[in-house]
Amino acid sequence: QSVLTQPPSVSASPGQTVTISCSGTSSNIGNNYVSWYQQVPGTAPKLLIYHNNKRPSGIPDRISGSRSGTSATLGIAGLQIGDEADYYCGTWDDSLRATVFGGGTKLTVL
Amino acid sequence: EVQLVESGGGLVQPGGSLRLSCAASGFTFRTYNMNWVRQAPGKGLEWVSFISGGGGSIYYAESVKGRFTISRDNDRNSVYLQMNSLRDEDTALYYCTRVPDNEPGGDYWGQGTLVTVSS
């Protein structure tokens, strides 16, 4: 059971917008930056969002992140077939003194 | 270009040991913290251990505390994970990641090295 809670799966059609939630507590999301990672099957995870809402170089602006209280959200607009992947949130937990990840959300683009 | 290349994985019996290595290049290694993160087959990401740039701060997941030891050699631009008393549940793909301040998961990930614990 993961410290951060994500929905197991989401789906949407090409061109649509999808959001993926990540729920935590005051000791993790509520007090630390949140990151989001994309993992295409068979490949290593890739950083999509850091510091709650910043995009690394090369990540398009149709990818967005936000944090409110003890929850965070990843948004992907203008969905493409290539967006099909597993998505993970992650942050530091002050109580556990550990990096914690969500259980992952499988995005299906129908 | 930042590169992280893990090695040292393999098949080991329960109770055995392995030492993983991660060779880094393309950045000033000693100025970055480093993580090991693992992923069991078909499962999600699990953070394993963290070491600060100078090696003075180290953290472990509860699941590996007392069995795994992280270390680094800043002259060799490498980070290591010594794994002892291995269990079936340690079977996973082990990634090393570069960890900037306040980015605890890692901004760059290697391709991973597979550890299989089985009799």
Side-chain angles (χ1 to χ4, degrees), chain A:
Chain A
Q1 190 148 341
S2 302
V3 173
L4 305 180
T5 301
Q6 297 180 234
S9 63
V10 295
S11 62
S13 300
Q16 290 188 328
T17 297
V18 70
T19 59
I20 297 173
S21 61
C22 177
S23 178
T25 68
S26 57
S27 68
N28 44 63
I29 291 179
N31 199 40
N32 293 287
Y33 287 121
V34 177
S35 302
W36 289 91
Y37 308 88
Q38 177 195 56
Q39 186 177 33
V40 174
T43 70
K46 179 173 79 170
L47 181 65
L48 289 183
I49 294 288
Y50 67 101
H51 290 188
N52 301 331
N53 55 17
K54 294 181 170 45
R55 290 183 303 276
S57 174
I59 302 301
D61 61 5
R62 63 187 186 86
I63 306 293
S64 63
S66 64
R67 183 189 70 170
S68 178
T70 59
S71 294
T73 302
L74 174 72
I76 307 175
L79 273 174
Q80 303 171 1
I81 297 296
D83 294 326
E84 283 204 339
D86 295 319
Y87 292 83
Y88 295 89
C89 57
T91 188
W92 178 257
D93 190 293
D94 295 327
S95 297
L96 297 174
R97 301 185 79 179
T99 292
V100 292
F101 292 104
T105 298
K106 181 177 180 60
L107 169 62
T108 301
V109 182
L110 303 169

Side-chain angles (χ1 to χ4, degrees), chain B residues 39-61:
Chain B
Q39 187 170 34
K43 302 296 184 183
L45 303 175
E46 180 188 15
W47 171 80
V48 173
S49 186
F50 164 99
I51 186 167
S52 60
S57 292
I58 287 175
Y59 301 103
Y60 297 101

